[in-house]
Amino acid sequence: MFEDVLKDAVHRTEGGIAALVMGFDGIPLESYLREDSKMPLEVETIGMEYSVILKEIRKAAQLLDAGAAREVSIQAEKLTTVIRMLNDDYFVAMAIEPGGNHGKARWLLRQAGPRLASELGG
């Protein structure tokens, strides 16, 4: 259902490795991993771990009266992850190689967000 959108975003992002749509409960709905990726990833495990952190970020944003959290980027030494909230229950995330086009990943996820959210019924 979401694979075409995820695949398109990954392949249009320089350095794109993988993407997924996941619930904040840690249950993945769909994921895509480039077959030619040189970096072995367990994309669903990454999503599950980040779903825990995202719940805390959303809670902190509400406590600070900053409004709803919309996007989070996590830049690590070997991987950058861009995460965009779709609604109260789901998010989309993309993993990018170091030196990849972080800005394009952000833009593509922002563009795909409404389509993904509508497919989720929200």
Side-chain angles (χ1 to χ4, degrees), residues 36-103:
D36 61 350
S37 174
K38 296 175 182 102
M39 180 178 273
L41 280 183
E42 291 187 31
V43 67
E44 293 178 359
T45 300
I46 291 169
M48 285 186 301
E49 293 298 332
Y50 283 150
S51 70
V52 174
I53 295 167
L54 290 173
K55 286 187 249 181
E56 294 303 315
I57 289 170
R58 289 186 341 166
K59 198 181 309 181
Q62 289 172 347
L63 289 172
L64 295 170
D65 201 24
R70 294 185 187 160
E71 182 180 278
V72 175
S73 294
I74 302 162
Q75 225 169 1
E77 186 177 328
K78 298 178 182 179
L79 184 71
T80 296
T81 307
V82 178
I83 303 165
R84 183 114 186 130
M85 311 320 171
L86 297 174
N87 58 31
D88 289 340
D89 299 312
Y90 297 96
F91 64 90
V92 60
M94 186 187 310
I96 310 160
E97 296 173 347
N101 194 335
H102 174 257

Side-chain angles (χ1 to χ4, degrees), residues 8-19:
D8 180 61
V10 168
H11 285 274
R12 290 179 59 196
T13 302
E14 296 81 8
I17 302 169

